[in-house]
Amino acid sequence: TFPMQFGNLSSRTLPVLAALFIFGYFLLFSYNGLSAHLSFDDGMNFIAMHHHWEAPLWRNVLDSLKVFTIAPRPLGALFYRPLYYLFGFNPLPYRIVVHLFLTFNIVLAYLFARGLGATREASTLSTLLFCYNASLLDLYYNTGTVYDVLSFSLYFGALLIYIRERSTHNRLSIRTMATVTVLYLASLDAKEMPVVLPSALLFYEALYRRQDLRSRPLAARVGSFLAVISIITAIFLKVKVTDMGTNELYHPNVSVAFVLTGIGHYFEQLFYLKAGTFGAGHVTAAIALLLGAGAALRSRTVIYATIFFIVGLLPVAIIPPRGGYAAYVAFPGLTLALGVILASTRAALVRLAKKEKLEQASMIVLFLCVAVVPVKYFAHYRKVFMGNVLWSQERVIGLLEGFRKNIPEFPPNGRILILDDPWGSDWGPMFLTRLQYNDPNVWVDRLHNNEKPGDRDRYDLLVTYKQPFIDMSPARFFGLFKMKWEIRATTTIDGEF
């Protein structure tokens, strides 16, 4: 039950209203992602990573079951390939599935907060902070980040099942160990970020269940399980890091300065700060402040959430920086720490002012402030990033439309050379063209690619694509009111093909 009554708003009504608000808040800022097109990343994932047409689907399933394989993120194939079989090149079903998972992950973030002992108020504030962050725009617009979305669901599923059993029943059954292990292995199939699960469980035991481990049989069982998943993690890292480390984009650097700077980069992303403004010293101070706040509040939830966030960032902090979406799996730790601090501070101020009658009102005001204040800070960031995403999508759509209109059917083994287009070296145009025509034999070369094309007489068609003129303007609510926070890309002059 909710810890207090709220006058006209009952203990059941207020959480329902808050949940509906959070869901609406998420949709308000993310719904346009449902109209996003497939990107060059998706083409690469389909063909270069998951070998669509080259390998049967059962091979992808087998790679997923192996787990310890150099096959890159094999679980993604079980997302892409069935949807392509059912819906072809239509991007909407892909976006719907991703948004369903994003919504499910919001629920998991709330359950995570509750499982760690946060009050409903703190958990709700944490979930509100988590449900939308403009630095995560890749998740809302780029289907190529589906690996992060899937790994989040599986990782937090494993974590929550473990926490529930340990906190509710003070045991660790074979069934739970098996379930957690299966979910963990599946999360590793989606992306490498969940390798921090052994650390997350170890810190949980240390902060939350330390007294329970006085029982030697239980301590032995917990210790054995943590050892097993640590061994699984070590083997996985040995296979994956050895293979991925040869790519300079994934080459690890474990120096303290590099790691702290890497963590600072994600602080910048999540708080909409200028690049390079949050260095190693700032990171150290921020961690100290969060842990100090946890100690002052006597809140192990804040302490654990802070550790969870920092440890969760380590897999991406040791490689060259990515967009904010790379911090997705770690993000609930930060939002939980902030949610507990905000809720505790509000409750303390109400007590000090002896204004208990304002308990409900102050809670609602704080909730609305947490919803509104970030909008001001991410507005500019979101417009710029969203503009770049939509502009890039319109150019890709223009190229694919040019192919569709000018070449309704591709001749068998057709070969095309693109003499000019607005992109750098990338095989994405060929991959997406193959998917659009559902033809693995289409060959699209480009002068902009690093590999030199053959003699021009060997090609059936020479193409020049000049990008369209694209207007970026605010969206209108039902065609009437401008939504300044929401922009749209409109092609005013078609590209020349």
Side-chain angles (χ1 to χ4, degrees):
T1 60
F2 210 61
M4 57 203 70
Q5 296 296 321
F6 293 102
N8 294 329
L9 291 176
S10 69
S11 60
R12 292 184 179 181
T13 302
L14 199 61
V16 171
L17 292 176
L20 291 174
F21 183 96
I22 289 171
F23 179 66
Y25 189 85
F26 165 69
L27 285 182
L28 176 66
F29 295 110
S30 70
Y31 78 95
N32 189 47
L34 290 169
S35 62
H37 202 278
L38 295 176
S39 66
F40 287 171
D41 286 343
D42 295 308
M44 179 193 71
N45 296 340
F46 260 107
I47 297 174
M49 286 180 62
H50 304 311
H51 306 291
H52 189 65
W53 292 305
E54 295 179 15
L57 184 58
W58 65 261
R59 180 63 60 84
N60 297 123
V61 174
L62 182 60
D63 284 337
S64 295
L65 294 175
K66 287 180 180 178
V67 181
F68 310 112
T69 172
I70 62 172
R73 300 166 186 170
L75 194 68
L78 306 186
F79 163 82
Y80 278 112
R81 296 188 65 176
L83 287 174
Y84 187 75
Y85 290 136
L86 292 172
F87 303 104
F89 199 58
N90 179 10
L92 180 59
Y94 301 84
R95 298 308 310 156
I96 290 175
V97 173
V98 169
H99 267 67
L100 289 174
F101 271 103
L102 287 170
T103 304
F104 177 59
N105 290 347
I106 293 172
V107 176
L108 291 179
Y110 176 80
L111 295 176
F112 173 68
R114 291 292 288 156
L116 292 175
T119 64
R120 285 193 178 182
E121 180 192 3
S123 300
T124 301
L125 291 174
S126 168
T127 308
L128 178 60
L129 287 167
F130 169 79
C131 75
Y132 181 84
N133 187 288
S135 71
L136 307 180
L137 269 172
D138 282 294
L139 300 177
Y140 314 133
Y141 283 91
N142 186 354
T143 307
T145 60
V146 67
Y147 307 96
D148 300 84
V149 179
L150 294 175
S151 68
F152 185 105
S153 301
L154 295 162
Y155 171 57
F156 276 86
L159 189 62
L160 288 171
I161 289 172
Y162 184 93
I163 290 174
R164 179 179 176 80
E165 171 134 320
R166 292 290 292 116
S167 61
T168 305
H169 304 292
N170 189 24
R171 67 184 185 190
L172 188 59
S173 66
I174 294 176
R175 180 178 179 179
T176 294
M177 289 189 286
T179 303
V180 170
T181 302
V182 169
L183 289 174
Y184 178 47
L185 293 172
S187 71
L188 294 176
D189 272 337
K191 200 168 183 181
E192 301 74 34
M193 288 291 287
V195 293
V196 297
L197 180 64
S199 299
L201 297 183
L202 180 62
F203 282 114
Y204 173 77
E205 291 290 344
L207 286 171
Y208 284 86
R209 315 307 309 172
R210 186 172 63 254
Q211 298 299 322
D212 302 341
L213 298 180
R214 292 179 178 178
S215 167
R216 289 187 178 180
L218 180 58
R221 175 165 288 208
V222 170
S224 298
F225 178 68
L226 293 180
V228 168
I229 63 169
S230 297
I231 292 171
I232 289 173
T233 303
I235 297 172
F236 178 83
L237 289 172
K238 177 66 176 177
V239 174
K240 286 291 184 181
V241 173
T242 301
D243 180 65
M244 297 178 67
T246 58
N247 185 333
E248 62 180 10
L249 295 176
Y250 293 94
H251 187 71
N253 184 334
V254 294
S255 69
V256 174
F258 188 90
V259 171
L260 288 175
T261 302
I263 294 174
H265 166 75
Y266 294 102
F267 269 102
E268 292 165 0
Q269 295 281 300
L270 296 171
F271 286 103
Y272 317 116
L273 303 174
K274 291 183 179 180
T277 60
F278 211 82
H282 298 90
V283 171
T284 304
I287 296 172
L289 284 173
L290 288 171
L291 293 176
L297 295 171
R298 296 182 180 180
S299 171
R300 60 185 174 186
T301 303
V302 173
I303 294 172
Y304 179 80
T306 302
I307 295 172
F308 182 90
F309 175 65
I310 298 303
V311 171
L313 285 179
L314 292 180
V316 288
I318 63 174
I319 60 176
R322 302 315 197 250
Y325 72 92
Y328 184 51
V329 167
F331 192 30
L334 179 61
T335 59
L336 176 55
L338 295 176
V340 173
I341 292 170
L342 289 171
S344 300
T345 302
R346 181 208 59 78
L349 290 175
V350 169
R351 286 196 303 271
L352 288 173
K354 298 181 179 179
K355 299 290 185 179
E356 286 77 9
K357 291 183 179 181
L358 296 179
E359 188 73 41
Q360 174 183 332
S362 64
M363 191 177 295
I364 294 173
V365 168
L366 176 60
F367 179 84
L368 294 177
C369 286
V370 171
V372 173
V373 171
V375 175
K376 176 182 178 181
Y377 287 95
F378 72 56
H380 177 72
Y381 182 101
R382 185 169 185 268
K383 282 183 180 180
V384 173
F385 196 94
M386 195 174 175
N388 291 335
V389 169
L390 297 176
W391 180 62
S392 297
Q393 286 191 4
E394 284 294 304
R395 296 190 303 168
V396 173
I397 292 170
L399 174 68
L400 297 173
E401 281 294 298
F403 274 119
R404 187 182 62 81
K405 291 178 180 178
N406 290 279
I407 315 174
E409 289 188 35
F410 233 90
N413 300 311
R415 295 176 61 85
I416 287 178
L417 176 62
I418 299 179
L419 301 175
D420 192 26
D421 61 48
W423 298 287
S425 177
D426 200 313
W427 286 101
M430 181 172 76
F431 294 151
L432 288 186
T433 305
R434 286 181 173 182
L435 292 169
Q436 179 172 253
Y437 288 96
N438 193 21
D439 185 350
N441 297 315
V442 169
W443 189 267
V444 180
D445 250 335
R446 299 172 59 237
L447 288 184
H448 289 180
N449 281 350
N450 293 329
E451 296 81 358
K452 292 183 179 180
D455 188 84
R456 294 188 183 185
D457 291 339
R458 298 172 53 193
Y459 295 93
D460 302 300
L461 193 68
L462 304 180
V463 171
T464 295
Y465 172 67
K466 293 183 179 178
Q467 61 185 318
F469 285 91
I470 302 168
D471 177 60
M472 309 300 296
S473 56
R476 290 183 176 272
F477 186 70
F478 290 111
L480 299 174
F481 308 106
K482 284 185 179 180
M483 298 187 291
K484 295 182 180 180
W485 68 88
E486 189 84 4
I487 61 175
R488 292 290 183 272
T490 304
T491 297
T492 55
I493 303 176
D494 291 337
E496 296 181 23
F497 190 89

